[in-house]
Amino acid sequence: MSYAETIDEAIVNCKHQTVFMQRCLSQNALMDALKHTSIMLTELRNPALSPKQYYELYILCFDSLSLLSNYLVESHPKKHHLADLYELVQYAGNILPRLYLMITVGSSYLQSPDAPREEILKDMIEMCRGVQNPIRGLFLRYYLSQRTKPFLDNGLVDKKFSISFIISNFVEMNKLWVRLQHQGPLKEREQRTRERKELQILIGANLVRLSQIVENDVQLYQAEVLPSVLEQVVQCRDVVSQEYLLDVICQVFPDEFHLVTLSSLLDTTLKLNPEVAINKVVLNLVERLNGYLERKDGSLDADITSKLSSLDITDNDKNLFFVFWSYLNQISEERPDVSVLEFSPLIQSIMRLTLQWYPGKIANIETLFKFLYDKCKDYGKALPQEWDNRFEDVFFSEAITSDPEFFYEVLTKCEFYQKLLALQSKTLQKVMINKILDYLLSHDVRISVKAELEKVLLICEPLTTHQPQTPAETQSDALQLTANTEPGLDDWLSHPDQEKLVKLVHLCYSKSIKRHADLLLCCKASFHKGGKNMRFTYSAIICTFWKLIRRAHLKSIKKPARAEKLRAFLKQMFKFISRCANELFNVCGASCVDMIYKLHLETASLADQLSLSEIAYDFFTQAFTIFEDSLSDSRTQFQGIVNMAQALQKTRSLYDDSYYDTLITRCTLHGSKLLRKQDQCRAVYLCSHLWWATEISLLGEEEGVTESFFREGKRVLECLQRSLRVADSIMDSVQSCHLMIEILNRCCYYFIHGEEQSTHVGTKYINGLIELITTNIDALKLEEPSSENDLEPSQALYFIGPDGTYLHLPSNNSVSIVTTKPPAITIAELISIPTQYFQRTLDYIHDQKDVDVRFKAINA
Amino acid sequence: MLLLALSDAHIPDREKDVPAKFKKLLSVPDKISQVVLLGNCTKSLSFLQFVNGISTNVVIVRGEFDNGTIATTKKSHEDIPINTIIKQGNFRIGCCNGYTVVPKSDPLSLLTLARQLDVDIVLWGGTHNVEAYTLEGKFFINPGSCTGAFSTDWVVQDRDLVSENSTEAKGDNAQEDEKQEKGQSAQPQQDHEQDGKTASATENEDNVS
Amino acid sequence: MTFKILMFISLDKSIVTGATHHFKKTYQVNISPNMFFKSPLDIEIHFDGEDSRKVVEINNNNASSNAKSLKDQYPLYENGESLSGLVTLRVKEGKKVDHLGVKVNLIGSVDIAKSNSEYKKSTVDTFLCLSADLCPQGELMHSQTFQFSFKDVEKRYESYRGRNVDISYYVKVTVLRKSTDIVKIKKFWCYLYKTIPTSGPSGQNEDAKPVKLDIGIENCLHIEFEFSKSQYSIKDVIVGRIYFLLTRLKVKHMELSLITRETCGLEPNQLSDSTSIRYEIMDGSPVKGETIPIRLFLGGYDLVPNTSCNYFNIKNYLSLVIIDEDGRRYFKQTEIFLYRTRD
């Protein structure tokens, strides 16, 4: 009698034999039924089946044997005695069918109340040893387990006996399972591993059974079950098995058990095959313990506390974390082969655990970071770059980042967080600092304690001092406005790190102005280490001081009692600003003079608003010094003067001590000395406004009501005249003409603003100017010889801006092209610029006649 | 057709980011066809990326704290103009930061500018205050600061007293409130154009149809 | 555990079994009369209480083609038991038979085949021959019945039917005549029961002690083979274990065999081994440290107790056979002593 060649034949055969068996049973021909059964079981001897096929066959046989078993139970002891049958089936010559039959008969016999149950069980399990082939043995023992299940569960057998029965079956199955790995040629190892994983459930089922029997008897579990199971886990020394079994242990037994037996579980992990990822195992355990807490609604109730006390640690201060912590140290000692890298996920999981169990216990986190720090130190060399990813997870593990407040606490309270970070590769440090900054910023973490700020700054130190990476790295194709690669130094966009660093300043806040200022100074001290990077960082400090100054000022108004002190400190803050500006100037020099200049202007304006005229004056003066000494580019100079004029025009506190007079004169003078005539012209006519203060409605000023405006129409006219002279002297007649029209517009401004006796800009003057311009335009048209017919303007439009740039709005484009040089266009088109501008101005004057009768005197 | 005007972000010098609400409001892809940055918006890469996400059609004019040039995909070193003109339908819109307009934000000065550039609408910034008015048939819009950044311009003394009160009262949240307030005040510009409540927006929509 | 029905479930062609079906039914013994001669007289032998006597069923390995059944059945007697019965001489109707007397013999003999090739066995020793006269010379006119009785017959050997040797017991009735005698024999079977060894003397302890065998192939296999004792009743159970100390061999399976060896004749001995039991005890290849249990119920098999006499002996061997994956067989035999006990 032999087995079939293919699985299909085998299945057919099994089905046939089952039918025969049933027929025999219905005729009470037990012997024949047994014969068919054993023919069927012979199929299970086939060594060529894959685990899946074998399983399929096994299921068929199982069902078939169930039918037999039912018959046996029903007919006992009327037709036969199961004790006799138990011996009878022993005569089967082949072991595998013999044992299947034996188990079938034996388990049927177990149902009889007078059966010597324990004896039968012992005998069956002992006899199973005869099958040493892994797959056949596994299924046979699984069959034993399935058949005996009802008797072990229902208390028919002593609980301890049941447990030892299941455990010994488990041990044998596991051995077979491990042995399967070593079957067949070496090159099929991977396939073996795959097959083993397909079969793992057979072994795991034993542990499930155990958990069902143990129920909630912790003592039993701790004293009997777990030690035996773990012993097997350790002894088998097989990676797949150890990983799987520990996982199953974690899954199938109740949380409380794990809590109580934590030490032995952890001890076990130390004894595993070195190839086992301890991480994975511990991770499971931690997940389980954390899950326990969740299932218990997160509270450490009395129940758990008492369970905890059963851990073999006596000290009250010591707790679950302590157990894991000792464990870490133990691994570190006993398993020098476990690398820092492998520790990192472990640390992370323990971190998660401690935070779940002891929320907010920062000391635990610190301990873990210190541990890693020591490990990294011991490593001796620079940490390999490949580790970066892992460490990234450690520094930014979900456990510590889920709550911004807590993460902030970690950053500021854990000394070793920073120390560990400092041991990492430069690249990683930068990545991490960026992440940390992003995190702090996106969560709006508020820094209000100086010591904490210092910690954060210490962490960021590599960013403050380190020279930024090459800009190419920050470039992104998707971005139209990308980082500048060019001269580099000045470009903020190429330093996104610095941008984040700067934003740190805005996270600083204290209700106390003095303490807030302290925080800023602290930032300043740190940023100062950045050398040239200060050009990115310092202006934020200055700007924040502005805010602080205004805050101090408002507070001083609100709390007159403290006003004096506040004002004193407020002045002090202007000194801080000045100090910042000086440091910036000294270190960065030319690369940011323009910015320093403008910062001075704004600071001066601010001081002016607070009626600190001396300070305002001082800052304006310094701005002039910078202008004179360092602003060299002519366009920058022009804009600088205009900007200065704009600032000065809004000041109100400088009139005393003739500060204002000094400053505006100097400003206008600088304007008139600009290199390019057109700049001179524009600067001067714009400076005319310095003698014509306009209302600042926020201050309650009102045109026509307020009498105290600083206005000197004579000077206004002087400026306009001076500017017209310059315009007239410009050789480029288009430009000259255009500037005159600009001045005409300026005149209109003053004309609207006041009567001739105050502005000195009157109808006569304007009419004269219009006449002059008309003449010049006519002269311009002479320059263009082609007929006037061609003057019909093309679709394209050209303008000259108030800063002298040429704006070209092509017909096919929605955005103008702006150039400093005249575009390459026909003279006719060029001439049309002032011509049309003039026309628009005249139209405007014309329109004004309806509104303002005075305009009627103008010949337009 | 929607055009978004943003001004005076001052990131990272004065503020760390655009308020989240504002950001959320704007993060609707393909809704806004053009963005104009009216100065002091070019120092933050993250801000520029955000703007680029709104629309790839971005027009920039220079504020006093902007560099003279910026890198674009077309050109690594493109000049940022002080004034520029954009055309939308039959309208021409002049854009400037206004830091070269003297007196600052003076309506007549701005009108002069509008005349010189022959535009129908003037978008300007630099004051951090929202303003919108018509003058001589031209429309003037200042979107304020999109971040609620600090300004060294004059402030209303009384209002500041109130704001200081709230600072005291609300303690730690004061900073946020201020931002929110300014952030919100920056929004109407956007809303106007969307809702078509203002002349300019209505006109714009007409143009398209 | 005892049970009345025995069945061998044969599962593999490769396993040859000597097991037979036994049924606890009494069969009518049916020995066919000699048909070759037209005997004028039929002799019928009937043992007393034959109908209720236990019978033994023996394989008919004489292979005589005319045998109707492969099994012969014989009534069972034991040593010292008396054997009595009736002999009926039936004369054919209308005939009369002259004879020189009728006698009855009880004979025990050893029959040996001369060589392995020759099938026919001949008697080499008649170790038992009892005789009694039933009837003096005379004439049989009609059927007549005689009683016979052998009291307390000593039966030295157990009946045996082997390949080369038989030990047979039979009752032989001879009607002596001037011409050919008319003979009728009736076989019966004899079992010798050993008394169940009682505990006590040292000899018994020896038997009860487990037998340990240390066997192996150098650097390849090393096993310890242990079983409970060296002497077994033929209804006994062999219990033991195999402990693997070293296995480098890829074992496919392992069997236990019981071999019965019949030795007879002078040098060169005529040896005849027959495998009584083949029993698979292990499937697959064990690793070092594994222990494989052995439990072999002998009761279901027809086994022969150890026997020895001047002319031959029968010994039993337990053989452990290991078959490796390449089909090689490794085995170790050890003698065990089988004896018969009363059930």
Side-chain angles (χ1 to χ4, degrees), chain C residues 48-85:
Chain C
D48 288 342
E50 197 179 317
D51 291 351
S52 57
R53 184 163 286 272
K54 218 169 171 176
V55 295
V56 174
E57 203 170 68
I58 298 297
N59 268 353
N60 181 347
N61 57 1
N62 285 345
S64 44
S65 52
N66 58 349
K68 281 180 183 159
S69 147
L70 287 170
K71 310 263 188 210
D72 293 334
Q73 290 183 339
Y74 304 110
L76 179 63
Y77 289 84
E78 59 182 279
N79 185 22
E81 202 176 347
S82 303
L83 191 148
S84 60

Side-chain angles (χ1 to χ4, degrees), chain B residues 4-7 19 22 128-130 142-148 179-191:
Chain B
L4 174 69
L6 296 173
S7 184
F22 198 15
H128 302 205
N129 274 325
V130 181
N142 180 339
S145 161
C146 64
T147 56
K179 253 181 272 165
Q180 292 288 32
E181 193 186 312
K182 288 194 183 169
Q184 234 105 51
S185 73
Q187 266 169 255
Q189 172 59 21
Q190 157 73 5
D191 289 341

Side-chain angles (χ1 to χ4, degrees), chain A residues 550 609 650 696-699, chain B residues 5-10 14 38 40 96-97 104-105 110 122-133 140-156 159-160 178 181-189:
Chain A
R550 192 170 280 166
Q609 288 156 22
K650 295 282 181 191
I696 298 173
S697 53
L698 290 169
L699 294 175
Chain B
L6 296 173
S7 184
D8 299 285
H10 281 293
R14 305 190 190 183
L38 297 168
N40 296 326
C96 76
N97 175 255
K104 195 174 188 179
S105 280
L110 288 167
V122 173
L123 296 176
W124 89 105
T127 62
H128 302 205
N129 274 325
V130 181
E131 286 171 75
Y133 52 83
F140 297 83
I141 301 169
N142 180 339
S145 161
C146 64
T147 56
F150 182 86
S151 161
T152 52
D153 282 353
W154 287 94
V155 285
V156 181
R159 200 199 80 172
D160 283 330
E178 198 179 319
E181 193 186 312
K182 288 194 183 169
Q184 234 105 51
S185 73
Q187 266 169 255
Q189 172 59 21

